[in-house]
Amino acid sequence: MKAKYLLIGIVVATMTACNLDVFPTGSLTAGEMAENEAAPVYATNATYSLFKDGDAYAKGTDAGNTYIRHFFQMAEFPADNCNLSGRTEDVLYECTCYKNYATQTNIQAFWYFSYHIISCANGVINTVQDGASKSTDQIKGENYFLRALAELNLVTLYAKPYTVDKSAPGIVINTGNSDATKRATIEQSYDQIVSDLENAIRLMNGSRGNKGYASKEAAQALLTRVYLYMGKNEECVQLANEILGADPFAKLEQGDAYAAPDGKGGMFANAATSKETLFCIALMDDESKGQEMMGSMFLKDGVGWGEIYPSDPLLNLYERYPSDIRMRYILPQYKDNGKQMVSFPVKGTESDDYRLTFATENVTKVGDEYSFSYDGTKYTTTTETINGEGHTDANGEYKQMYITLGGEKQVVRITPSLNNRSGYTSLQYFMSKFGYQAGDPMLCSPIFIRWAEVILNRAEANAKLGNDAAALADVNIIRKRAQIPEEGMFSSSNMHGYSSALNVVLDERRLELAFEGFRTFDVYRNQLDMDRRFAGIHPWEVVKYTDNRIQYPIPYNETSANPGVTQNPGY
């Protein structure tokens, strides 16, 4: 990059769809952008490609070094939904274990990709005049949207939550009109995002094609998320009411169109054409890069690594209602031996405080309980009905099996016998939300915004406003689509053991949006702690929402080139 590392320079974009650079050969100048109505279209299409294609930064590295892969890993893996089954040289390990550092490949690459997207969007925003035509307004609006999306993902990853400390350092705001060399506050960063989305909504008048192109509805939906993250609950509800209309349920995919019975199809495999999708990064059917794709860590089907599985707490939450079709995206790798298996976390032999999964098929059923031996001692499970709440156990009323181990209760799981990951005692549950587009297990067009999220945004905002009935009604819309039976629905008179509508909503967000990059932000912006005391190659700990590790370090390449860009505390 020329001039300062990322943030200063003439901003242009090439007409090709990948391998972009800030000063590329054959690029479009600002004059060409203003004079040729087709030029902003080419430039905008190239900007979309930056979300999925590694560019100059990725030369000489693997094909998986992309914006979408890094975002979903950096957003999801620090939460409590995923179990990394063994050590890996991939930098996703550092994200999973809160051991990040400023020269980390994904941390530097994602920052670079983000500001490259912002810079390219600036090139269109600052040269296309408002009102020249409907088509140019649409294109300019799309660039405002893309800039806002990149800004939002930056501020949620590299800064504290707005609701924790909005005066803390946020991101560097780069609109292409001045030298941007210092971090704005988090409040200023969010104000910029709101402004960009308001401009996107004002300018866009439709969509140019499938859900891989931004639309007015997508910008409105993203703004409901921004309002929610800012604690502007009334604004969130008002806007969600406007766009959801009288029948939100009709905006959702149903049955097999949402989740195929075998987990190898449905909405996520057809994201670009799904009625529920508002915006995705559309990949063509021939754009698979095999195991370098973002879903390969979750799935092994002829290709893929298949090393990250749903966590035990998440599985326990899903399994309360076996009819829940969201479990179709979880693919247990059962053995065909007719046996039962008991499993629970035990301390590993590593120097770090990890927990592996002890599992045995030597189980004897005694009435409704199960007996087995571990470490030379015989144990018998005890089943209890849980009504209490707290972040350690999933909320609500449900039955749970325990043993007493080391003088403390230890949750155990009883399942049909499962395969282990080779060389590690971690039971295999593959996850298929990021695969099976055109039948390719590694290919998908990852969804960034969908209608179910908007419904749950409104539910959370209403819960915080004290409108419990409205919040629970929205939760029930999501649960009805998931085919939860009537007895599993919520009302003010039947909270199933929950003490607040907000806790109901947060659990439903966890179930519905699992692995889609929301859970980390949902926990910390609500000033809750992340309980990571479950099996997996990560420290057995509770991460406080005030912990400086919840924000990634600013890349060394940035702070070394721009001394005015301060580092986050603790790095």
Side-chain angles (χ1 to χ4, degrees), residues 56-71:
Y57 190 92
K59 288 178 179 177
T61 64
D62 64 84
N65 190 28
T66 61
Y67 181 102
I68 51 176
R69 188 175 191 267
H70 292 323
F71 171 76

PDB file of all heavy atoms in Angstrom, residues 56-71:
ATOM      1  N   ALA A  56      -4.450  -8.426  -2.865  1.00  0.00           N
ATOM      2  CA  ALA A  56      -2.993  -8.279  -2.828  1.00  0.00           C
ATOM      3  C   ALA A  56      -2.402  -8.731  -1.499  1.00  0.00           C
ATOM      4  O   ALA A  56      -1.310  -9.288  -1.450  1.00  0.00           O
ATOM      5  CB  ALA A  56      -2.626  -6.815  -3.091  1.00  0.00           C
ATOM      6  N   TYR A  57      -3.121  -8.498  -0.411  1.00  0.00           N
ATOM      7  CA  TYR A  57      -2.611  -8.888   0.902  1.00  0.00           C
ATOM      8  C   TYR A  57      -2.426 -10.396   0.997  1.00  0.00           C
ATOM      9  O   TYR A  57      -1.567 -10.886   1.720  1.00  0.00           O
ATOM     10  CB  TYR A  57      -3.575  -8.420   1.993  1.00  0.00           C
ATOM     11  CG  TYR A  57      -3.020  -8.554   3.390  1.00  0.00           C
ATOM     12  CD1 TYR A  57      -2.341  -7.492   3.982  1.00  0.00           C
ATOM     13  CD2 TYR A  57      -3.157  -9.740   4.115  1.00  0.00           C
ATOM     14  CE1 TYR A  57      -1.823  -7.602   5.264  1.00  0.00           C
ATOM     15  CE2 TYR A  57      -2.634  -9.853   5.389  1.00  0.00           C
ATOM     16  CZ  TYR A  57      -1.976  -8.785   5.956  1.00  0.00           C
ATOM     17  OH  TYR A  57      -1.465  -8.910   7.219  1.00  0.00           O
ATOM     18  N   ALA A  58      -3.242 -11.143   0.256  1.00  0.00           N
ATOM     19  CA  ALA A  58      -3.247 -12.595   0.380  1.00  0.00           C
ATOM     20  C   ALA A  58      -2.257 -13.277  -0.544  1.00  0.00           C
ATOM     21  O   ALA A  58      -2.152 -14.493  -0.545  1.00  0.00           O
ATOM     22  CB  ALA A  58      -4.653 -13.132   0.106  1.00  0.00           C
ATOM     23  N   LYS A  59      -1.537 -12.527  -1.388  1.00  0.00           N
ATOM     24  CA  LYS A  59      -0.590 -13.157  -2.299  1.00  0.00           C
ATOM     25  C   LYS A  59       0.458 -13.935  -1.508  1.00  0.00           C
ATOM     26  O   LYS A  59       1.023 -13.448  -0.546  1.00  0.00           O
ATOM     27  CB  LYS A  59       0.088 -12.102  -3.175  1.00  0.00           C
ATOM     28  CG  LYS A  59      -0.844 -11.518  -4.239  1.00  0.00           C
ATOM     29  CD  LYS A  59      -0.141 -10.443  -5.053  1.00  0.00           C
ATOM     30  CE  LYS A  59      -1.072  -9.876  -6.121  1.00  0.00           C
ATOM     31  NZ  LYS A  59      -0.437  -8.786  -6.880  1.00  0.00           N
ATOM     32  N   GLY A  60       0.682 -15.161  -1.959  1.00  0.00           N
ATOM     33  CA  GLY A  60       1.658 -16.002  -1.289  1.00  0.00           C
ATOM     34  C   GLY A  60       1.109 -16.707  -0.067  1.00  0.00           C
ATOM     35  O   GLY A  60       1.826 -17.424   0.616  1.00  0.00           O
ATOM     36  N   THR A  61      -0.180 -16.503   0.233  1.00  0.00           N
ATOM     37  CA  THR A  61      -0.793 -17.195   1.357  1.00  0.00           C
ATOM     38  C   THR A  61      -1.863 -18.127   0.827  1.00  0.00           C
ATOM     39  O   THR A  61      -2.090 -18.230  -0.371  1.00  0.00           O
ATOM     40  CB  THR A  61      -1.415 -16.194   2.346  1.00  0.00           C
ATOM     41  OG1 THR A  61      -2.484 -15.492   1.696  1.00  0.00           O
ATOM     42  CG2 THR A  61      -0.379 -15.189   2.821  1.00  0.00           C
ATOM     43  N   ASP A  62      -2.557 -18.809   1.736  1.00  0.00           N
ATOM     44  CA  ASP A  62      -3.536 -19.792   1.289  1.00  0.00           C
ATOM     45  C   ASP A  62      -4.803 -19.128   0.776  1.00  0.00           C
ATOM     46  O   ASP A  62      -5.099 -17.976   1.078  1.00  0.00           O
ATOM     47  CB  ASP A  62      -3.874 -20.756   2.434  1.00  0.00           C
ATOM     48  CG  ASP A  62      -4.538 -20.047   3.598  1.00  0.00           C
ATOM     49  OD1 ASP A  62      -5.752 -19.866   3.550  1.00  0.00           O
ATOM     50  OD2 ASP A  62      -3.825 -19.679   4.554  1.00  0.00           O
ATOM     51  N   ALA A  63      -5.558 -19.893  -0.009  1.00  0.00           N
ATOM     52  CA  ALA A  63      -6.760 -19.361  -0.648  1.00  0.00           C
ATOM     53  C   ALA A  63      -7.880 -19.076   0.348  1.00  0.00           C
ATOM     54  O   ALA A  63      -8.854 -18.419   0.007  1.00  0.00           O
ATOM     55  CB  ALA A  63      -7.259 -20.351  -1.710  1.00  0.00           C
ATOM     56  N   GLY A  64      -7.747 -19.550   1.573  1.00  0.00           N
ATOM     57  CA  GLY A  64      -8.765 -19.300   2.581  1.00  0.00           C
ATOM     58  C   GLY A  64      -8.610 -17.975   3.292  1.00  0.00           C
ATOM     59  O   GLY A  64      -9.388 -17.666   4.189  1.00  0.00           O
ATOM     60  N   ASN A  65      -7.639 -17.176   2.917  1.00  0.00           N
ATOM     61  CA  ASN A  65      -7.401 -15.886   3.561  1.00  0.00           C
ATOM     62  C   ASN A  65      -8.364 -14.862   2.988  1.00  0.00           C
ATOM     63  O   ASN A  65      -8.003 -14.028   2.158  1.00  0.00           O
ATOM     64  CB  ASN A  65      -5.949 -15.463   3.348  1.00  0.00           C
ATOM     65  CG  ASN A  65      -5.566 -14.258   4.195  1.00  0.00           C
ATOM     66  OD1 ASN A  65      -6.135 -14.043   5.252  1.00  0.00           O
ATOM     67  ND2 ASN A  65      -4.602 -13.494   3.734  1.00  0.00           N
ATOM     68  N   THR A  66      -9.616 -14.907   3.422  1.00  0.00           N
ATOM     69  CA  THR A  66     -10.668 -14.057   2.878  1.00  0.00           C
ATOM     70  C   THR A  66     -11.425 -13.351   3.997  1.00  0.00           C
ATOM     71  O   THR A  66     -11.405 -13.783   5.156  1.00  0.00           O
ATOM     72  CB  THR A  66     -11.680 -14.890   2.064  1.00  0.00           C
ATOM     73  OG1 THR A  66     -12.301 -15.859   2.930  1.00  0.00           O
ATOM     74  CG2 THR A  66     -11.000 -15.610   0.905  1.00  0.00           C
ATOM     75  N   TYR A  67     -12.107 -12.288   3.618  1.00  0.00           N
ATOM     76  CA  TYR A  67     -12.903 -11.508   4.568  1.00  0.00           C
ATOM     77  C   TYR A  67     -13.934 -12.392   5.247  1.00  0.00           C
ATOM     78  O   TYR A  67     -14.069 -12.395   6.477  1.00  0.00           O
ATOM     79  CB  TYR A  67     -13.588 -10.363   3.823  1.00  0.00           C
ATOM     80  CG  TYR A  67     -14.424  -9.446   4.694  1.00  0.00           C
ATOM     81  CD1 TYR A  67     -13.942  -8.210   5.092  1.00  0.00           C
ATOM     82  CD2 TYR A  67     -15.714  -9.802   5.099  1.00  0.00           C
ATOM     83  CE1 TYR A  67     -14.698  -7.351   5.883  1.00  0.00           C
ATOM     84  CE2 TYR A  67     -16.475  -8.962   5.895  1.00  0.00           C
ATOM     85  CZ  TYR A  67     -15.975  -7.735   6.289  1.00  0.00           C
ATOM     86  OH  TYR A  67     -16.732  -6.906   7.074  1.00  0.00           O
ATOM     87  N   ILE A  68     -14.721 -13.136   4.474  1.00  0.00           N
ATOM     88  CA  ILE A  68     -15.828 -13.892   5.070  1.00  0.00           C
ATOM     89  C   ILE A  68     -15.316 -14.982   6.005  1.00  0.00           C
ATOM     90  O   ILE A  68     -15.897 -15.212   7.067  1.00  0.00           O
ATOM     91  CB  ILE A  68     -16.773 -14.479   4.003  1.00  0.00           C
ATOM     92  CG1 ILE A  68     -16.002 -15.263   2.941  1.00  0.00           C
ATOM     93  CG2 ILE A  68     -17.613 -13.375   3.374  1.00  0.00           C
ATOM     94  CD1 ILE A  68     -16.909 -15.953   1.920  1.00  0.00           C
ATOM     95  N   ARG A  69     -14.253 -15.647   5.629  1.00  0.00           N
ATOM     96  CA  ARG A  69     -13.731 -16.703   6.504  1.00  0.00           C
ATOM     97  C   ARG A  69     -13.240 -16.106   7.816  1.00  0.00           C
ATOM     98  O   ARG A  69     -13.551 -16.609   8.901  1.00  0.00           O
ATOM     99  CB  ARG A  69     -12.603 -17.461   5.810  1.00  0.00           C
ATOM    100  CG  ARG A  69     -12.115 -18.703   6.574  1.00  0.00           C
ATOM    101  CD  ARG A  69     -11.084 -19.466   5.741  1.00  0.00           C
ATOM    102  NE  ARG A  69     -10.786 -20.760   6.296  1.00  0.00           N
ATOM    103  CZ  ARG A  69      -9.786 -21.010   7.143  1.00  0.00           C
ATOM    104  NH1 ARG A  69      -9.009 -20.001   7.525  1.00  0.00           N
ATOM    105  NH2 ARG A  69      -9.558 -22.220   7.597  1.00  0.00           N
ATOM    106  N   HIS A  70     -12.475 -15.028   7.719  1.00  0.00           N
ATOM    107  CA  HIS A  70     -11.954 -14.420   8.940  1.00  0.00           C
ATOM    108  C   HIS A  70     -13.080 -13.840   9.794  1.00  0.00           C
ATOM    109  O   HIS A  70     -13.059 -13.974  11.023  1.00  0.00           O
ATOM    110  CB  HIS A  70     -10.944 -13.323   8.603  1.00  0.00           C
ATOM    111  CG  HIS A  70      -9.677 -13.846   8.005  1.00  0.00           C
ATOM    112  ND1 HIS A  70      -9.091 -15.027   8.407  1.00  0.00           N
ATOM    113  CD2 HIS A  70      -8.865 -13.341   7.036  1.00  0.00           C
ATOM    114  CE1 HIS A  70      -7.984 -15.229   7.716  1.00  0.00           C
ATOM    115  NE2 HIS A  70      -7.831 -14.225   6.878  1.00  0.00           N
ATOM    116  N   PHE A  71     -14.068 -13.188   9.183  1.00  0.00           N
ATOM    117  CA  PHE A  71     -15.120 -12.581   9.991  1.00  0.00           C
ATOM    118  C   PHE A  71     -15.864 -13.621  10.806  1.00  0.00           C
ATOM    119  O   PHE A  71     -16.040 -13.463  12.031  1.00  0.00           O
ATOM    120  CB  PHE A  71     -16.122 -11.798   9.140  1.00  0.00           C
ATOM    121  CG  PHE A  71     -17.313 -11.358   9.947  1.00  0.00           C
ATOM    122  CD1 PHE A  71     -17.204 -10.298  10.824  1.00  0.00           C
ATOM    123  CD2 PHE A  71     -18.521 -12.044   9.883  1.00  0.00           C
ATOM    124  CE1 PHE A  71     -18.281  -9.909  11.627  1.00  0.00           C
ATOM    125  CE2 PHE A  71     -19.604 -11.667  10.675  1.00  0.00           C
ATOM    126  CZ  PHE A  71     -19.476 -10.600  11.545  1.00  0.00           C
TER     127      PHE A  71
END
